[in-house]
Amino acid sequence: VLVRGIGPALSGFNVTGALAQPVLGVFDSASTLIATDTGWGNPPVPGTSSVGATFRQATATDMSSAGAFALTPNSADCAMVLTLPPGKYTAEVSGLGNTTGVSLPEVYDLDASSPQTLLNISARCFVGTGGNVAISGFVIGGNKSAQLLIRGIGPALTAFGLQGTVAQTSIVLLDKGGTTIVSDTGWGNPLVAGTSAVAASYRLATAADMNSVGAFSLTPGSADSAMAVTLPPGQYTAELSGAAGATGTGLVEVYELSGP
């Protein structure tokens, strides 16, 4: 996988307040560091994880092959390539010297011929308003539709000891052109259709959907959001915001219920 932590390069996309010097760390399921990178021009630094992983500096060729936008040579953005055995992993982006700003963590599958599949990807972050909502992009490859579970979590995070969570989440699924496919505000509320012409189908997620992919359960009628969608191959975005302009910590998740 190609893993990147983008900060300065976001200014090329008119993002203000980008993180000036990101630090990227990849951890195993026990939260032990596998490797860290501070600046694409610097080699990754090994951690103490015993997972059978290898890693190296990412190259421009790696990025081009994955369809990732190019980085300026010796950029302060972070990028490394890791070979990982099946399991659960975490990529964390922070600011050097406790600096803050807008950042973009990315994970790309570099080996299209491999039988391994990214089954779930999620991001925990601060959810603001306007241009500072949580934006999670994903791509469905292959030539068949995939069924996904998409969730926007806020209140349920309190069970994990988190404070300042989004009181009521709203999750919006958009197509490549930025047109809404469907949205959900609260798991107990019906989905609202958008105007996208993408041949998608969707329904309220069920507890059985969540259990089937190992997602933690939600309280019936929860103010968290969850939907099951079937999407053709393509590029999509899931945006997480707070209902009525609420802000706080949120978690956006995408699980594969059935692949292409």
Side-chain angles (χ1 to χ4, degrees):
V1 291
L2 166 65
V3 183
R4 308 202 303 179
I6 307 298
L10 293 178
S11 61
F13 299 91
N14 299 317
V15 175
T16 58
L19 187 62
Q21 179 92 54
V23 178
L24 173 66
V26 177
F27 298 80
D28 62 23
S29 61
S31 298
T32 303
L33 182 66
I34 297 172
T36 187
D37 182 52
T38 305
W40 182 35
N42 301 317
V45 177
T48 58
S49 171
S50 60
V51 169
T54 61
F55 48 86
R56 60 173 174 80
Q57 278 181 291
T59 67
T61 300
D62 293 324
M63 300 181 202
S64 177
S65 68
F69 60 83
L71 298 180
T72 304
N74 297 317
S75 165
D77 304 283
C78 305
M80 54 182 163
V81 172
L82 301 97
T83 300
L84 303 169
K88 299 179 180 179
Y89 301 93
T90 302
E92 292 185 0
V93 179
S94 58
L96 187 66
N98 294 320
T99 53
T100 61
V102 179
S103 67
L104 175 68
E106 300 178 303
V107 180
Y108 296 87
D109 186 354
L110 287 179
D111 189 357
S113 63
S114 171
Q116 279 76 23
T117 303
L118 287 171
L119 298 177
N120 160 235
I121 192 162
S122 60
R124 193 195 76 185
C125 58
F126 180 80
V127 178
T129 60
N132 293 317
V133 300
I135 302 172
S136 177
F138 60 94
V139 178
I140 298 174
N143 54 17
K144 297 181 181 179
S145 295
Q147 187 179 24
L148 307 174
L149 167 65
I150 301 177
R151 307 202 304 177
I153 307 298
L157 294 178
T158 58
F160 299 93
L162 295 178
Q163 298 179 346
T165 61
V166 181
Q168 179 164 14
T169 61
S170 178
I171 191 85
V172 180
L173 176 65
L174 304 110
D175 63 21
K176 181 180 179 180
T179 302
T180 297
I181 298 171
V182 64
S183 63
D184 181 51
T185 303
W187 186 33
N189 299 319
L191 305 184
V192 178
T195 59
S196 172
V198 169
S201 61
Y202 42 82
R203 59 174 172 80
L204 281 173
T206 66
D209 292 326
M210 301 179 200
N211 184 62
S212 71
V213 294
F216 60 84
S217 59
L218 298 179
T219 303
S222 167
D224 305 281
S225 303
M227 63 177 81
V229 298
T230 301
L231 300 171
Q235 300 176 20
Y236 300 94
T237 303
E239 292 188 356
L240 174 63
S241 60
T247 63
T249 301
L251 176 71
V252 57
E253 303 176 299
V254 180
Y255 294 86
E256 182 183 71
L257 288 173
S258 64

